[in-house]
């Protein structure tokens, strides 16, 4: 049994052709994402029963501060190293390490000093100490071994799995353990702190490179020159992905922020997990084939097809089960977020089916697209968010986020993705058609059937999930047989890559 397990693991270590390495890497990234999400969801579900929505809102204020500092000081160093054609980037690692340590210390000082002002801004005096403790997180990340970049650059995602999964397990254990002892916001704080602490230790265990404090100014300039658009995209990304959170916390309350952030977290699962797996694997893969435009175009369409096949049923399913999932699993105190969660599931879908484009643009040395498009989205949201939130609360905020993504962002994203691979927008839109039909059929039939039978939320949730899966795959199979959709070819290719 032990020998079989070793053979299985060695078979899954990413080796072989670019396709084989990409497919096997996808397995490990999937395992990593699943372990992270599963442990996080278990923790959040347990803590949702033990803590109040306001505790999550208070933690949300601290995380907004932490994320803002990290995004505004993100040099894009890892992306710069991964994008380079050279496989060995050891010569850059000491300089990278010095830059990351400097960034971590700078972030710590900024967060520590602004903590009282943040608490005043959100009218939450208790946030000061929470924010200051979490200021240690960027320091811990800055001290980690810079050679962890090889986990992604070399498609060595089996090591990345150990690195990330261990941090996730520690977060679950610390968060639940402390909450059982003292059900306060500090359970969330110490859980968050444990993750970078464990990863810091593992970064030196999993790779034998040992950084030394030496700094090369020219190398730093080279890395930062590429990363400047990553930095810009990171800043703009914060504004459009978390600016709405900050506005809700400031304009409404910490409790409203707790509802909104939790709804967003659940609704964005397809983008943060499924398409996140694909985009993480495709960035180094796209970088390797960036000189072959035909192969790159084909890879983009195939990855889009696979993403759409998976995320359409997930997002339609989230909207379908939200009214039963929230009271049955999270508890009655979370029911005010149901409609917001359903609205944000549309955002989760749009985010998921376009997330892969960012990997393409970065691989083709167009990271500026991410920043510029993000800035346009920020401007559109900024114009509409105040009146919508004032009129409809967090549901109005969600409507603005979704509406701006539908237009103008989706058409522009698709146009630019097609343009850089010398293709046409309709080629990409076509990949969305069949999964939309299958998912809409699933949603419509079960929503209609729900009206004839009145069940408890828990029983309804237990029935809807498997029923939705059966209907979606049945319709998808029919579409594949009738119209030669192409998803069967993708799945067979993945299977062949694994066997290779």
């Amino acid at each position: 049994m032990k020998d079989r397990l070793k053979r299985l693991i060695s078979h899954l270590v990413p080796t072989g052709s670019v396709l084989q390495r990409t497919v096997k890497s996808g397995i490990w990234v999937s395992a990593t994402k699943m372990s992270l999400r599963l442990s996080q969801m278990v923790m959040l579900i347990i803590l949702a029963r033990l803590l109040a929505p306001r505790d999550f809102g208070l933690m949300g204020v601290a995380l907004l501060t932490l994320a803002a500092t990290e995004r505004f000081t993100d040099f894009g160093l890892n992306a710069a190293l991964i994008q380079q054609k050279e496989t060995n980037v050891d010569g850059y690692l000491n300089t990278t390490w010095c830059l990351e340590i400097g960034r971590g210390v700078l972030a710590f000082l900024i967060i520590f000093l602004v903590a009282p002002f943040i608490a005043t801004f959100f009218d939450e005096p208790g946030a000061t100490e929470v924010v200051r403790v979490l200021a240690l997180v960027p320091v811990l990340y800055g001290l980690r071994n810079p050679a962890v970049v090889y986990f992604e650059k070399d498609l060595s995602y089996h090591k990345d799995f150990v690195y990330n999964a261990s941090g996730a397990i520690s977060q679950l254990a610390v968060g639940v353990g402390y909450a059982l002892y003292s059900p306060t916001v500090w359970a969330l704080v110490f859980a968050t702190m444990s993750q970078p602490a464990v990863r810091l230790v593992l970064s030196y265990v999993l790779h034998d490179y040992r950084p030394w404090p030496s700094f090369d100014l020219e190398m730093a300039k080279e890395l930062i020159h590429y990363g400047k658009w990553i930095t810009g995209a990171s800043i703009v990304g914060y504004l459009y992905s978390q600016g709405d959170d900050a506005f809700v916390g400031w304009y409404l309350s910490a409790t409203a922020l707790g509802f909104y952030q939790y709804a967003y977290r659940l609704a964005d699962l397809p983008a943060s997990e499924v398409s996140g797996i694909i985009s993480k694997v495709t960035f180094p893969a796209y970088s390797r084939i960036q000189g072959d435009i035909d192969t790159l175009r084909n890879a983009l369409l195939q990855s889009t097809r696979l993403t759409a096949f998976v995320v359409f049923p997930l997002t339609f399913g989230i909207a379908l089960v939200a009214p039963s999932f929230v009271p049955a699993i999270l508890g009655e105190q979370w029911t005010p977020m149901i409609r917001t969660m359903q609205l944000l599931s549309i955002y989760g879908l749009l985010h998921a089916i376009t997330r892969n484009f960012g990997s393409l643009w970065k691989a083709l040395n167009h990271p500026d697209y991410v920043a510029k498009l993000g800035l346009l989205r920020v401007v559109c949201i900024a114009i509409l968010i105040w009146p919508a939130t004032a009129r409809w609360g967090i549901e109005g905020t969600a409507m603005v986020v979704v509406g701006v993504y539908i237009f103008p962002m989706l058409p522009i994203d698709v146009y630019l993705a097609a343009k850089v691979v010398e293709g046409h927008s309709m080629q990409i839109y076509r990949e969305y058609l069949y999964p939309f039909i299958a998912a809409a059929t699933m949603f419509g039939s079960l929503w209609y059937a729900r009206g004839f039978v009145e069940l408890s939320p828990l029983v309804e949730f237990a029935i809807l999930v498997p029923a939705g899966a059966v209907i979606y795959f049945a319709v998808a199979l029919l579409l594949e047989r009738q119209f030669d959709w192409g998803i069967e070819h993708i799945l067979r290719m993945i299977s062949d890559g694994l066997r290779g």
Side-chain angles (χ1 to χ4, degrees), residues 205-251:
V205 173
L206 295 172
H207 202 285
D208 56 9
Y209 181 85
R210 293 296 176 262
W212 187 255
S214 64
F215 187 80
D216 187 305
L217 182 60
E218 292 304 315
M219 286 184 178
K221 288 181 178 178
E222 180 184 345
L223 293 172
I224 293 173
H225 176 73
Y226 173 85
K228 66 179 184 292
W229 285 111
I230 303 296
T231 305
S234 180
I235 294 171
V236 173
Y238 173 82
L239 294 175
Y240 72 68
S241 66
Q242 294 181 289
D244 51 338
D245 295 6
F247 182 81
V248 167
W250 169 75
Y251 187 74

Side-chain angles (χ1 to χ4, degrees), residues 25 79 96 157 188 207 215 223 290 299 381 474:
S25 295
T96 300
Y157 286 109
L188 294 166
H207 202 285
F215 187 80
L223 293 172
Q290 58 185 284
I381 291 176

Side-chain angles (χ1 to χ4, degrees), residues 316-327 341-342 443 447 450 460-461 464-465:
F316 276 64
I318 287 170
L320 177 68
V321 305
S324 53
F325 170 83
V326 172
M341 181 176 165
Q342 291 177 308
F443 180 91
W447 188 272
R450 171 193 264 164
E460 184 176 89
F461 175 70
L464 286 176
V465 173

